[in-house]
Amino acid sequence: MDVSPSHARRALVRDPQNLAAGLVLFGFAVVGWIGSADLEVGRLTAMGPGLVPRFLMLCLAGFGLFLAANACFQDGPRIALADFSGTLVIVALAAAAAGIGAILPEGPFGWPSAGFAFCVLYLAVMVVLVILAAGRSTFLDRSGLRGPVFVVGGILAFALTVRSAGLLVAGPLLAMISGAAASDTRFGELILFAIGMTLVSIGLFRYLLQLPMPVLVIPGVLYL
C-alpha cells in the first residue's frame, strides 16, 4: 500500500498538540534553570534558595519530555492557535519587559526594571481580559487565555507577597488566582483547597524545612 509523506508524518507524531505542549514546558524549564543558576542549592539538611526552584524545573522538564515522547504513541487533536495563545501572550510580555529593562537601569522601589515592567504589563492584560470576559462569558475559554494567564498570575501574586505579607496571604492568593484557570472550578472547594494548601505549606517550609519564609507580616506591627 502506498503511504504518502503526510501520512508518514502523522504516523510519527500522532499527537502534535501534546508534542508542542511538551516542548514549551521543556523550554520554560530551561529558562527557569538558567534564571536560578546564581542561587545556592545547598543540601537537604540545609536547603539553599535554589534547591526548590531547581527541583521544580527538573519536574517540569521531565513532564515536558514525557508529553513530547507520548505524542508518538497516542493519537490526539491537531494544533490550534488557541492552544498556545496564552503562551504567546506571556512570551510577548516578557520580550517587551526585557526591552524596557535594557533601556531603564532600575525600576521603582529598587526593583529590576524588567521585572517591574513585566508585572505592570501582566496586570494590565489581566484587567483587560476580566473586562472582556464580563461581557462575553465564554471569551477566556474560546481564546485559550484562561489557563496560562491565571496560572502565571497566581505565581506572580505569590512571588510579590510571600516576603512582604507572608505565607498566610501569598498561599491563598496563589491558590485562588491559579484556580480560576479552570472554568469548572467551584468557589467553595477552591477556598477549602487554598486554606489546606496554605497550612501544609506553612508546616512544610517554615517549620519542617525551617526556611526563612514569614508566616504573616504586618509592617510595623507583626512579623511572624
Side-chain angles (χ1 to χ4, degrees), residues 65-156:
L65 291 176
F66 170 78
L67 281 179
N70 194 52
C72 299
F73 302 100
Q74 291 188 351
D75 294 325
R78 295 182 178 180
I79 298 175
L81 179 61
D83 297 329
F84 299 98
S85 56
T87 302
L88 294 175
V89 168
I90 295 171
V91 171
L93 293 180
I100 294 174
I103 299 173
L104 302 177
E106 184 175 333
F109 314 111
W111 287 23
S113 56
F116 183 81
F118 182 81
C119 291
V120 172
L121 292 173
Y122 207 89
L123 178 61
V125 168
M126 288 194 69
V127 170
V128 171
L129 290 178
V130 169
I131 293 174
L132 291 175
R136 291 175 289 178
S137 58
T138 61
F139 170 76
L140 287 177
D141 295 317
R142 288 189 294 103
S143 64
L145 296 174
R146 176 189 288 273
V149 167
F150 282 103
V151 168
V152 176
I155 295 173
L156 282 178

Side-chain angles (χ1 to χ4, degrees), residues 158 161-162 166-177 193-195 197-198 201:
F158 181 86
T161 57
V162 66
L167 283 170
L168 275 178
V169 175
L173 279 178
L174 171 62
M176 297 297 290
I177 297 175
F193 174 76
I195 294 173
M197 288 305 300
T198 299
S201 298

